[in-house]
Amino acid sequence: MKKEIVVSGIRSTGNLHLGNYFGAMKNYVKMQDEYPCYFFVADYHSLTTHPDPAGLKKNVYKVLAENIACGLDPEKVTLYVQSDIPEIPELYLILNMLAYKGELEKTASFKEKARNQPDNVNAGLLTYPTLMSADILIHKGQYVPVGKDQEQHLEMSRNFAQRFNHRYGDTFPEPLAFNFGTELVKIPSLDGNGKMSKSENENATIYLCDSDEQILKKVKKAKSDQGPTEPNSQMPDYIENLFALMKLVSKPATVDSFTKDFNECSIRYGDLKMQLANDIIQFISPIREKTIAIQNDLPYLHKLMRMGKEKGRESASKTLDEARKKIGINFYC
Ligand code: ADP
Ligand code: TRP
């Protein structure tokens, strides 16, 4: 096994979707055989939007179940809930002393969220990148499998690690966003506006828990047009998006055949959507069924949460002790 440490998390804010799968989860599953991995449900991160307690709890169980249904093996990786590891908020507090208001305010995700929830621009939202850095640095994480939208947060994690090392001596590695391909992926939404997301664009996002009927309905509604009139014309964004999804879930021969039809102006978008919907259904339905089974087995989920908590704290407490010692807040030894 290679020794770079892998850390990544998914917020428990709603239903996982194809973007989460192809942007994050697929890499998790691949990495579990090659690296020591720490994966977690980021429940503290979801508090920025003040979810109701019952809903939050349900989502944490659901995200855990979805992680396993997608192929994560809790025996191979350390899989835990963020709030089960108290060392994380302690490191977050320490890192906050090295994070400046100006840089936090400039973060794209902060600006976007502050715009979307102007009545709730809380300090947790502002310091989101420091909590995320603590999540990673607490295990001395080096590779962070995430989608493209997280690049800026990773850059900030590197800055905080550097600052700590510079001030207190070498402690943390500088974590990198990781994807097996060269590019980080962004899965577009079906309406051609932005990316698939847990909380926005619900009708244009395919969730891992969607029923076959819902998938069919959403794909049918995806934006399209009359089709090209000139051979080999440029694809409009929204059509390119449908092809991008098809490349992920369909056979290469299927994609080739529809591409040929497009280039020869004989494409029928109704057929393309039907094929795409069926291939998405083939892909999602086994994950959905497995999730339901796991989600209903609370004793099993509790057992693996306890296991993850124990393994996670073992690594986290080592790092935190070292950081405290470097800072000079280790009084009893
Ligand atoms: P969301 O943005 O839907 O709330 P999260 O912020 O919890 O989801 O993201 C969890 C992981 O999924 C992150 O690694 C993120 O980069 C990835 N991700 C989310 N949406 C997409 C998308 N549309 N395309 C690619 N990756 C995505
Ligand atoms: N910020 C990430 C997102 O919105 C979720 C996250 C929290 C995360 N902490 C992390 C991802 C640590 C990777 C590593 O998608």
Side-chain angles (χ1 to χ4, degrees):
M1 196 181 265
K2 297 181 195 122
K3 67 172 185 337
E4 282 86 355
I5 292 172
V6 174
V7 183
S8 194
I10 295 189
R11 285 180 302 151
S12 46
T13 40
N15 298 320
L16 295 197
H17 49 80
L18 285 183
N20 298 132
Y21 182 85
F22 289 106
M25 212 89 94
K26 191 173 172 207
N27 284 331
Y28 293 6
V29 174
K30 249 175 115 177
M31 290 177 106
Q32 69 181 344
D33 293 316
E34 297 183 27
Y35 300 94
C37 293
Y38 295 88
F39 296 122
F40 64 96
V41 184
D43 56 345
Y44 277 145
H45 278 277
S46 65
L47 296 183
T48 54
T49 52
H50 305 161
D52 77 90
L56 173 84
K57 208 167 186 179
K58 204 167 145 223
N59 270 332
V60 169
Y61 291 136
K62 181 151 186 217
V63 175
L64 272 176
E66 282 177 322
N67 268 284
I68 298 162
C70 285
L72 267 197
D73 179 349
E75 298 287 339
K76 277 189 198 158
V77 305
T78 304
L79 178 64
Y80 57 90
V81 179
Q82 185 187 29
S83 61
D84 265 340
I85 314 278
E87 290 79 6
I88 295 172
E90 193 171 335
L91 183 62
Y92 161 67
L93 182 147
I94 292 171
L95 294 178
N96 267 334
M97 310 303 170
L98 301 170
Y100 295 99
K101 179 172 161 272
E103 65 184 334
L104 294 170
E105 279 172 346
K106 268 194 267 167
T107 316
S109 61
F110 173 72
K111 288 200 279 193
E112 191 194 321
K113 284 178 184 154
R115 218 180 308 121
N116 292 343
Q117 51 181 72
D119 298 331
N120 180 22
V121 186
N122 57 62
L125 202 58
L126 182 69
T127 56
Y128 188 104
T130 36
L131 180 55
M132 178 160 164
S133 304
D135 290 331
I136 301 166
L137 299 178
I138 198 73
H139 302 299
K140 302 200 176 189
Q142 286 154 287
Y143 288 164
V144 186
V146 280
K148 200 169 169 49
D149 57 331
Q150 298 299 311
E151 250 174 346
Q152 192 182 23
H153 291 152
L154 260 291
E155 194 185 321
M156 296 175 82
S157 302
R158 288 193 286 279
N159 288 339
F160 300 146
Q162 247 177 38
R163 259 175 235 167
F164 186 100
N165 293 345
H166 185 69
R167 186 165 292 274
Y168 300 114
D170 236 9
T171 310
F172 297 115
E174 291 180 29
L176 294 170
F178 185 91
N179 189 311
F180 280 99
T182 40
E183 283 281 296
L184 297 180
V185 294
K186 176 176 157 186
I187 307 302
S189 75
L190 288 170
D191 60 7
N193 287 322
K195 58 164 199 149
M196 286 197 185
S197 143
K198 291 209 205 91
S199 38
E200 299 147 41
N201 285 332
E202 273 176 34
N203 291 321
T205 295
I206 309 260
Y207 297 101
L208 300 183
C209 60
D210 276 347
S211 66
D212 296 353
E213 295 72 32
Q214 280 170 314
I215 295 171
L216 187 62
K217 203 167 140 203
K218 286 180 185 179
V219 176
K220 269 189 177 165
K221 275 212 196 129
K223 184 171 172 183
S224 62
D225 53 30
Q226 301 299 318
T229 47
E230 298 268 324
N232 301 313
S233 33
Q234 170 86 20
M235 272 187 199
D237 298 357
Y238 46 90
I239 299 298
E240 216 173 4
N241 287 350
L242 296 180
F243 273 94
L245 285 173
M246 198 168 222
K247 281 185 193 144
L248 296 170
V249 294
S250 305
K251 294 200 179 81
T254 310
V255 182
D256 290 348
S257 150
F258 281 102
T259 310
K260 184 165 168 280
D261 292 347
F262 179 89
N263 288 332
E264 292 171 356
C265 304
S266 57
I267 191 157
R268 296 199 338 205
Y269 286 136
D271 295 348
L272 173 111
K273 287 180 180 177
M274 208 52 194
Q275 179 76 45
L276 178 60
N278 280 327
D279 290 341
I280 293 178
I281 289 169
Q282 290 291 321
F283 176 79
I284 281 185
S285 55
I287 297 179
R288 183 184 60 222
E289 300 312 315
K290 210 168 162 197
T291 302
I292 295 170
I294 298 169
Q295 209 181 342
N296 290 331
D297 190 352
L298 266 193
Y300 169 68
L301 280 176
H302 284 155
K303 190 177 127 215
L304 72 90
M305 283 164 71
R306 286 202 181 92
M307 191 167 85
K309 175 178 172 170
E310 197 177 313
K311 285 201 276 177
R313 287 199 70 182
E314 200 182 307
S315 145
S317 59
K318 267 193 212 139
T319 312
L320 187 66
D321 282 351
E322 184 185 342
R324 288 180 63 124
K325 193 167 158 201
K326 293 247 167 81
I327 297 172
I329 41 178
N330 60 324
F331 304 114
Y332 306 102
C333 49

